[in-house]
Amino acid sequence: MRFTTRQLTLCAVLAALALALSYVEGMFPPPVPLPGVKLGLANIVTLFALYALGGGSALAVLTVRVLLGAMFAGNASALIYSLLGGLSALGVMFALSRSRRLSVYGVSIGGAAAHNCGQVAAAMLTLGSAAPLAYLPALLLVSLFTGALTGFITALLLRAVPKSVIP
C-alpha cells in the first residue's frame, strides 16, 4: 500500500497519540484489580484509524505504536504480548467493521475480546503451558466493559473530527 504524504503524516500523528495514551494509561492503577487489565486507551486511536483511514493505515499505526512502545519501555519481552494482542484485535475489528449489522461499539468489544485472546496466546507460547487459558474468562468479561468504553469514545471522535481532516 502506498501512502500519500497527507496519509503518512496523519498516521504518524495518530501513532504518536496512541503511544502517548499508552504511556499515560500506565501511570494509573488498573480499573479492575486483575493483573494485565487495562482500559486500552491506545486502541481508541487504532479503531479511529480503521474507520477513518482504512485497514492499512490502522495496521501502520498499531505496528509503530507497539514497536516504539516496546523500544521506549525497554521491555522486549512485552513485545510479543502487545503484538499478538494488537494484531488479533485489529484483525477481528477489520472483519467485524465490514458487517453492516455491528456498530463501532460491537466492533470495539470484539476487538477487546480478541486482544485478550491474543495476549493469552502469547502467554501460552511464552510459558509453554495452557495454564493461562484459565484466566481468559475473567479477561473476556472485562473486555465487554473496556471495549464498550473504547467504542463510545471512538464514536464520539468519529462524529467530532471534520471530514476535511480525514483524507
Side-chain angles (χ1 to χ4, degrees):
M1 171 178 194
R2 290 187 61 90
F3 290 103
T4 66
T5 303
R6 181 182 173 111
Q7 288 170 322
L8 186 61
T9 304
L10 188 52
C11 284
V13 169
L14 290 175
L17 177 61
L19 192 59
L21 285 172
S22 182
Y23 177 77
V24 167
E25 184 175 19
M27 298 168 72
F28 296 100
V32 179
L34 292 172
V37 172
K38 296 182 354 180
L39 289 174
L41 297 178
N43 295 329
I44 295 167
V45 180
T46 304
L47 187 57
F48 176 84
L50 176 63
Y51 273 91
L53 304 172
S57 295
L59 179 61
V61 168
L62 172 73
T63 304
V64 168
R65 178 194 43 100
V66 167
L67 292 176
L68 288 178
M71 187 176 76
F72 291 156
N75 192 354
S77 64
L79 178 63
I80 188 169
Y81 290 90
S82 296
L83 200 55
L84 273 178
L87 291 175
S88 298
L90 183 58
V92 166
M93 289 188 305
F94 181 79
L96 293 177
S97 69
R98 299 293 178 233
S99 169
R100 301 235 182 254
R101 303 181 109 180
L102 286 177
S103 69
V104 68
Y105 296 98
V107 171
S108 180
I109 291 170
H115 192 278
N116 288 325
C117 290
Q119 288 195 319
V120 167
M124 290 170 55
L125 286 171
T126 303
L127 298 173
S129 165
L133 278 175
Y135 192 46
L136 189 58
L139 289 175
L140 292 176
L141 181 63
V142 172
S143 71
L144 289 171
F145 300 101
T146 58
L149 176 66
T150 303
F152 174 73
I153 295 170
T154 303
L156 290 176
L157 287 172
L158 287 168
R159 277 187 249 131
V161 173
K163 298 293 182 203
S164 61
V165 173
I166 302 168

